[in-house]
Amino acid sequence: MTHHDVPAFHVGSESFAEGQTVPPAQRSGRMRAGGQDESPQLSWSGAPAETRGYAVTMFDPDAPGRGGFWHWAVLDIPADVTSLPAGAGAEGGKLLPAGALQLKNDGGFRGYVGAAPPPGHGPHRYVVTVHALDVAASGLDERTSPASLESKLSRHTVGRATLTGIYERH
């Protein structure tokens, strides 16, 4: 995945820190990894002044198969929102800001699916990205696939913040 160069800003989480192990809450129960499929708490700051909205994604580039595994994708987060509570990625999105839209993850439902690397596959990286966009509405709808999101958003991306958690199942 190639990114055009845009300024970085800061994202942090009460759920896990950069480079730390993804905790049980953010692992998958649906995919039998002993977790709760609770999306992480996120807070971000320092986005470019021209930001009009955000998108948030979580991606595992180390998943087997082509193109990695998309765990979460949220579009159309308003520019005045700079945090999401833990669990905002639940199906139905009751904790998401008004107007925000969750795409179908690679687990097949609209919402967050937790970390669940194949046992014995080694450590996987779970990359949470906050995309700062120069549009309030992405113009995309829930039929958009997360895999096509980066290319569709790239011309509107004015900043990017990332947070990476690690998880390995033995």
Side-chain angles (χ1 to χ4, degrees):
M1 243 181 334
T2 55
H3 293 306
H4 66 294
D5 288 329
V6 294
F9 58 101
H10 175 75
V11 60
S13 176
E14 293 165 10
S15 305
F16 59 89
E18 177 67 30
Q20 279 191 336
T21 298
V22 173
Q26 277 71 55
R27 299 175 198 165
S28 184
R30 285 177 187 250
M31 296 172 75
R32 297 184 301 285
Q36 295 160 359
D37 294 297
E38 178 186 88
S39 61
Q41 187 279 337
L42 299 171
S43 301
W44 56 90
S45 60
E50 63 269 31
T51 301
R52 298 288 171 265
Y54 298 99
V56 172
T57 56
M58 187 169 113
F59 178 67
D60 171 6
D62 303 311
R66 293 185 48 206
F69 191 98
W70 291 93
H71 286 262
W72 195 28
V74 186
L75 293 173
D76 301 351
I77 298 170
D80 60 354
V81 173
T82 55
S83 66
L84 292 175
E91 276 189 281
K94 290 181 180 51
L95 296 178
L96 287 174
L101 171 73
Q102 295 194 100
L103 301 183
K104 205 176 263 193
N105 59 48
D106 285 343
F109 65 95
R110 289 186 181 89
Y112 172 89
V113 63
H121 201 257
H124 283 216
R125 294 164 292 164
Y126 295 89
V127 183
V128 177
T129 305
V130 182
H131 311 257
L133 307 172
D134 64 4
V135 286
S138 63
L140 305 174
D141 63 31
E142 48 192 30
R143 293 188 302 273
T144 304
S145 78
S148 68
L149 200 56
E150 299 260 344
S151 61
K152 287 186 161 81
L153 293 179
S154 63
R155 63 196 174 93
H156 292 296
T157 301
V158 294
R160 196 179 283 113
T162 61
L163 171 69
T164 302
I166 311 290
Y167 182 47
E168 175 175 13
R169 271 205 292 177
H170 297 287

